[in-house]
Amino acid sequence: MKSNAKPSPVWEHVQLAAKLADLKDDHYRTVLTLSAMLELFVDKGIITREELAAKAEALDEQLESLISASLHPMA
């Protein structure tokens, strides 16, 4: 039998916490995989740590600029 009763707010919070935990685990695994790949690239001489740091800084600046432009479109 299916109930039309609305789930309790407590149960909704439990479900939200479970979803957050899943996202945290997914994020950790993604970052771990990327870190491993980058270490392999450095170990194999495909990229240097300095090149990696410079690229990360450039991408961060671009992202900050995009975010700023979207928050202040008339500036």
Side-chain angles (χ1 to χ4, degrees):
M1 234 188 333
K2 207 173 193 184
S3 172
N4 288 335
K6 188 175 179 182
S8 74
V10 172
W11 182 243
E12 288 177 2
H13 283 105
V14 169
Q15 289 176 320
L16 181 60
K19 287 178 185 178
L20 269 157
D22 289 344
L23 285 174
K24 184 178 176 183
D25 186 55
D26 289 347
H27 180 262
Y28 169 77
R29 293 187 185 286
T30 300
V31 170
L32 180 63
T33 301
L34 287 171
S35 296
M37 289 172 54
L38 292 171
E39 285 295 319
L40 285 170
F41 291 161
V42 169
D43 291 348
K44 291 178 180 273
I46 296 171
I47 190 170
T48 66
R49 293 191 189 284
E50 292 77 18
E51 290 170 323
L52 185 58
K55 189 60 162 179
E57 185 176 337
L59 290 173
D60 186 50
E61 288 173 5
Q62 288 176 357
L63 183 58
E64 287 292 328
S65 178
L66 286 171
I67 291 171
S68 179
S70 69
L71 293 176
H72 310 291
M74 303 302 275

